[in-house]
Amino acid sequence: MSEGAEEVPVVYLHEIKRQYMQGETPLTILNGAKLALWAGQSVALVAPSGTGKSTLLHIAGLLESPDEGEVYVGGTPTSGLSDVDRTQIRRTEIGFVYQSHRLLPEFSALENVMLPQMIRGLKRGETVKRATEILSYLGLSDRIKHRPAELSGGEQQRVALARAVANAPRALLADEPTGNLDPNTADHVFQALMQLVKATRVAMLIATHNMDLAGRMDRRVSLVNGEVVELD
C-alpha cells in the first residue's frame, strides 16, 4: 500500500464533526469522521445522497470548516490558518473536479487550463506549455483552441480534469465527476483520472454512486452515522 512509503498522509481528517441547523433542530452530518488520503492512491467515497459526501469533500478541500476536529494537509494542521493561507493551500495543494465541469465559456480549453496557473503567478509561456502538455496527455491536443460549447460532455470534463491538476496539486477531490455522462464517456473520463493518479502520484478522493468505477479504485469508503467506514 502507499502508506509504507509515506511518512504522513497528503490529507488527514481527524475526528471531524459537522452539524447544520434544520429550523431549530441540529442535524449531525459528520460525527468523528477520520480519513487518510495517501499519495498515489485512489479512494472512492460511496454513500447514499444526504449522508454528507459533499460536506466531507468540502472540509477535506478547506472549502468549509468543521465544527470540531482537524484537517491536516501534508502533516500541517489547518484550523488555525487565516483565510489567505487556506486559499493558498487550495490553490497549490488541492485540485477540484465537480459533476458540472464549470469551465469558463468565453475561454478556450487551453485558456481554461492556463488560468489557475496564471492566478498562481506563473509566466504566460510556462502556463501555455504546461496546459498544452496536460491536455495532450488527456487526448485533447486537437481541441485546445475550442471553447466549451464546441466540446462534447466527455471532452469538457477532461478539460476540467486538466484544469484541476494544472498546478500539480498533491490531492485531487472529485464530486460525482462522471455523474452527467453516459456510461461509455464516463469510463473514458474515469480512465483519464486513473492515468493522472499514476502519472502524478496525486491522492484522489472521488464521491460517486457508480459502483463499477468504485470497484476499480484502490480503496472504497462510506459514511455511516457520520463516520467514515472502510468497505470490502
Side-chain angles (χ1 to χ4, degrees), residues 3-94:
E3 288 93 323
E6 301 293 327
E7 292 184 5
V8 295
V10 174
V11 175
Y12 178 55
L13 307 182
H14 180 68
E15 298 288 353
I16 299 298
K17 294 187 178 183
R18 188 72 171 101
Q19 285 186 336
Y20 298 108
M21 295 303 294
Q22 197 169 52
E24 296 182 0
T25 306
L27 182 65
T28 298
I29 301 298
L30 300 174
N31 191 21
K34 292 187 284 188
L35 178 65
L37 303 178
W38 300 89
Q41 188 180 71
S42 59
V43 182
L45 175 59
V46 289
S49 298
T51 53
K53 295 194 302 296
S54 294
T55 298
L56 188 77
L57 282 172
H58 290 167
I59 289 175
L62 307 185
L63 291 169
E64 189 174 330
S65 297
D67 298 321
E68 294 181 36
E70 184 62 85
V71 180
Y72 296 87
V73 177
T76 301
T78 60
S79 61
L81 297 179
S82 67
D83 287 343
V84 171
D85 288 339
R86 288 167 65 87
T87 298
Q88 182 63 20
I89 290 175
R90 285 198 303 271
R91 189 173 291 165
T92 60
E93 302 289 319
I94 301 169

Side-chain angles (χ1 to χ4, degrees), residues 11 13 37 53-65 71 73 85-103 112-113 116 138 156-178 189 193 196 202-207:
V11 175
L13 307 182
L37 303 178
K53 295 194 302 296
S54 294
T55 298
L56 188 77
L57 282 172
H58 290 167
I59 289 175
L62 307 185
L63 291 169
E64 189 174 330
S65 297
V71 180
V73 177
D85 288 339
R86 288 167 65 87
T87 298
Q88 182 63 20
I89 290 175
R90 285 198 303 271
R91 189 173 291 165
T92 60
E93 302 289 319
I94 301 169
F96 296 92
V97 185
Y98 300 95
Q99 183 169 347
S100 173
H101 55 75
R102 299 190 182 182
L103 299 175
N112 266 281
V113 180
L138 293 174
Q156 291 171 354
Q157 198 65 320
R158 277 185 281 162
V159 174
L161 293 183
R163 180 184 58 188
V165 300
N167 281 331
R170 299 175 64 199
L172 183 62
L173 308 177
D175 196 355
E176 297 285 355
T178 62
V189 170
L193 271 168
L196 286 172
V202 68
M204 181 171 70
L205 177 64
I206 296 183

Side-chain angles (χ1 to χ4, degrees), residues 91 116-123 126-127:
R91 189 173 291 165
Q117 302 173 76
M118 296 181 75
I119 291 171
R120 186 176 177 180
L122 297 180
K123 294 180 180 177
E126 292 178 67
T127 69

